[in-house]
Amino acid sequence: MCDWLARKWKDFDADSIFQYTTVAKVVLKDRRLGYLDIFFKVCIIFYILFYVFLYKKGFYLITTPSGITRFTALAPQPDVMAELYEGGQFSYCPGAPNYDPVYPNPERPCEVCTDPPGSLQCVYLPAEVVVSPPPTQNSIVLVSRYQDSTYDFRDCDYTRQPNCSQIDPLPSSLPKYFVAGIEDFTIFIDHTVRDSQGSIVKNIAEMEGTLQGCDGKALREFHKREPKETAGDFIRKRTVTVRELLAVARLHNWCGYNIDDKSNYTSDPTSDKYNETLRYAGAIMMVGIDYDNTFFTNFLPGNVRYTMKVTLLPQTEFKMEYSPPDRLDAPRYFINAHGILILVVQTGKLGAFDIGNSIVQLTAALTLLAVSSVITDILASHVLPQKATYRQFMYTVSHDLFDSEAGSTVYNEQNEPQKKKEWRNSRLEETYKRRTPSPDNLKPTQKKEPNEKTALI
């Protein structure tokens, strides 16, 4: 087939079209290329070691953590409450030092007030009453203002008539009240976290943590539980007050609030809620707990630390209405309460050693080492001043090895046409020999004298 193509197209060179490109090892003795190659390789090695493996923890399988939280609230001790009262911290309570009679709304005093006009009465309640309803997973409510209303069933038999579920308020509705000192109630947030594979499970006693301030630095630090530390001391060191959470709460570009600051529920000056305070209207705070064991200085997967960040949700108030369980044959209390809703969201990243992920990262990183040689070759052949000389050594074209018997001669461009003619003649001669048997190979009956017509022309 190849002989037929050679005779059909005399100028056709299959070796030039179907040529094969391979890599040859060429040593270029030039310090500039050596410096560049070493520089690129060192940079890539530093990238692999420090960025991929140490900083990004490439040998870890990173997952999103999940967990649960439990809340415990405690009211200030009586001596602390007395100190706050005498210190003028209850300016919203009638009769207290530094009392402000126009609190909480200077322009629109409350409509349900007793003594004096424009303010609400204060009640001093324990945490069991203030935390209502009881805390659930990842959330707790501390009531700051509430109103009790008395309801009674309509004039019907509630054991037989279904419409007895509809009740009417009695005229003996109680006034609204502030819960005194709600901002100084302490909260213990007990939280546990695990990674998606279950290889890392930690609770608050086994982790280091911080409460982030408005400046991004740690306002408070929480350490692991010491071996001889009692449960009471452990909890007291890790409790936070509502005042502390509001002081580091962020809303848009602003950080740091007080419970007596104006609520952001509405921005309409004509609204009745425009001048309401956070104590009066309530608020929703989101406490984000960000877990991490992939920080730069950590080399143990079990060393987990967390950061607490507080966000005040915009244009929100918190209000709940409920009726506590009571006897059906007696008037029922209907509670309208406002307060501080604290939601905990557990986020972050936890990493555990994974052999499969380590092999993938190592393979991808080692591939970059080949890039250094490619970059050096490009600079040598296209950028540096001696690029023409470099190309002569880097790119070598062989002669037609298919045509040569020795296959070891050096390519010479001027001798190429003559070599093509010699190759064609040799191929024709070989073809003729194959098609014309030699007289020595013929049987005695097949031998015959050579004919001039069969001679090579």
Side-chain angles (χ1 to χ4, degrees):
M1 184 66 179
C2 295
D3 299 331
W4 179 82
L5 290 174
R7 291 194 304 270
K8 187 68 174 178
W9 296 287
K10 296 181 179 181
D11 297 331
F12 176 78
D13 188 5
D15 295 326
S16 298
I17 296 179
F18 300 105
Q19 62 186 1
Y20 170 69
T21 301
T22 186
V23 178
K25 294 293 184 179
V26 179
V27 179
L28 298 177
K29 294 185 176 182
D30 192 326
R31 69 185 67 181
R32 292 171 298 182
L33 298 179
Y35 292 159
L36 288 174
D37 185 58
I38 294 175
F39 172 75
F40 292 137
K41 281 184 169 62
V42 169
C43 292
I44 291 174
I45 291 174
F46 268 85
Y47 168 79
I48 295 172
L49 294 179
F50 291 95
Y51 183 78
V52 176
F53 286 99
L54 295 182
Y55 181 71
K56 286 295 185 178
K57 297 295 187 293
F59 49 88
Y60 280 174
L61 178 62
I62 308 298
T63 59
T64 301
S66 60
I68 58 174
T69 56
R70 180 178 63 88
F71 297 89
T72 302
L74 183 66
Q77 297 297 321
D79 56 341
V80 177
M81 291 290 287
E83 182 179 350
L84 295 174
Y85 183 87
E86 297 297 335
Q89 297 296 322
F90 297 158
S91 60
Y92 48 89
C93 297
N98 298 331
Y99 167 63
D100 185 4
V102 296
Y103 186 93
N105 193 334
E107 298 182 4
R108 301 179 181 83
C110 63
E111 69 281 0
V112 182
C113 300
T114 54
D115 183 28
S119 69
L120 281 71
Q121 296 292 326
C122 283
V123 290
Y124 302 87
L125 300 176
E128 293 79 6
V129 180
V130 173
V131 180
S132 182
T136 59
Q137 179 179 339
N138 299 340
S139 67
I140 186 174
V141 177
L142 283 81
V143 177
S144 60
R145 175 179 69 88
Y146 76 97
Q147 178 185 23
D148 285 345
S149 300
T150 307
Y151 287 79
D152 199 1
F153 290 102
R154 290 179 178 177
D155 189 11
C156 62
D157 186 358
Y158 61 86
T159 62
R160 298 181 180 179
Q161 299 178 2
N163 61 348
C164 285
S165 60
Q166 302 177 5
I167 55 180
D168 294 326
L170 297 177
S172 59
S173 296
L174 300 177
K176 300 177 182 179
Y177 291 95
F178 279 135
V179 177
I182 188 65
E183 64 271 29
D184 293 301
F185 276 59
T186 57
I187 305 172
F188 173 62
I189 305 177
D190 186 9
H191 51 97
T192 303
V193 67
R194 67 185 295 272
D195 65 339
S196 61
Q197 296 180 334
S199 59
I200 300 176
V201 180
K202 295 292 180 179
N203 57 40
I204 187 175
E206 302 172 319
M207 296 181 290
E208 302 279 343
T210 58
L211 175 63
Q212 188 180 87
C214 290
D215 57 355
K217 300 180 180 179
L219 181 66
R220 287 189 56 185
E221 295 184 356
F222 310 103
H223 301 285
K224 297 180 181 179
R225 184 173 182 176
E226 299 177 358
K228 297 182 180 181
E229 189 176 18
T230 63
D233 293 338
F234 169 76
I235 293 176
R236 277 192 295 271
K237 291 179 181 179
R238 288 156 182 81
T239 57
V240 293
T241 64
V242 177
R243 187 191 301 272
E244 288 177 328
L245 294 179
L246 284 172
V248 297
R250 291 183 176 273
L251 177 61
H252 301 308
N253 296 327
W254 184 258
C255 181
Y257 287 86
N258 187 285
I259 195 170
D260 294 321
D261 289 340
K262 188 172 68 172
S263 172
N264 59 70
Y265 177 69
T266 180
S267 57
D268 183 9
T270 62
S271 174
D272 294 338
K273 297 180 178 293
Y274 180 69
N275 287 320
E276 292 181 351
T277 62
L278 296 176
R279 187 191 304 274
Y280 189 92
I284 300 178
M285 285 194 301
M286 186 177 67
V287 179
I289 304 180
D290 187 83
Y291 302 92
D292 187 17
N293 70 339
T294 62
F295 47 96
F296 182 73
T297 57
N298 183 36
F299 300 97
L300 299 176
N303 187 14
V304 181
R305 68 182 183 185
Y306 64 91
T307 304
M308 300 175 62
K309 304 176 183 179
V310 186
T311 303
L312 190 65
L313 299 187
Q315 298 182 343
T316 56
E317 66 172 357
F318 183 76
K319 173 182 177 180
M320 57 182 179
E321 297 177 345
Y322 64 97
S323 178
D326 204 341
R327 296 180 304 168
L328 294 178
D329 58 349
R332 299 177 66 84
Y333 289 102
F334 186 77
I335 298 178
N336 180 356
H338 290 251
I340 307 297
L341 171 63
I342 300 176
L343 298 173
V344 174
V345 180
Q346 296 172 280
T347 60
K349 54 183 179 180
L350 294 179
F353 179 77
D354 182 74
I355 184 64
N357 194 66
S358 301
I359 293 175
V360 171
Q361 294 291 341
L362 182 61
T363 304
L366 293 178
T367 305
L368 294 177
L369 291 176
V371 176
S372 64
S373 300
V374 174
I375 296 176
T376 306
D377 290 345
I378 294 175
L379 294 176
S381 59
H382 295 85
V383 177
L384 295 180
Q386 292 180 307
K387 54 187 177 181
T389 304
Y390 295 145
R391 281 200 296 266
Q392 291 181 359
F393 288 98
M394 295 170 62
Y395 303 103
T396 303
V397 182
S398 69
H399 65 284
D400 281 342
L401 298 177
F402 184 77
D403 308 342
S404 174
E405 296 180 357
S408 60
T409 57
V410 181
Y411 171 73
N412 190 340
E413 186 177 358
Q414 297 179 355
N415 298 333
E416 182 62 20
Q418 180 65 27
K419 289 181 177 292
K420 289 183 178 180
K421 295 179 182 180
E422 295 176 356
W423 171 79
R424 294 191 185 97
N425 292 333
S426 63
R427 297 301 296 173
L428 290 174
E429 183 177 357
E430 292 176 1
T431 303
Y432 173 78
K433 290 181 180 180
R434 287 197 302 268
R435 294 182 179 180
T436 305
S438 174
D440 298 334
N441 296 333
L442 295 177
K443 295 180 180 180
T445 56
Q446 295 179 341
K447 290 184 179 182
K448 56 183 179 179
E449 296 297 331
N451 191 347
E452 296 181 358
K453 295 183 178 180
T454 60
L456 176 63
I457 300 175

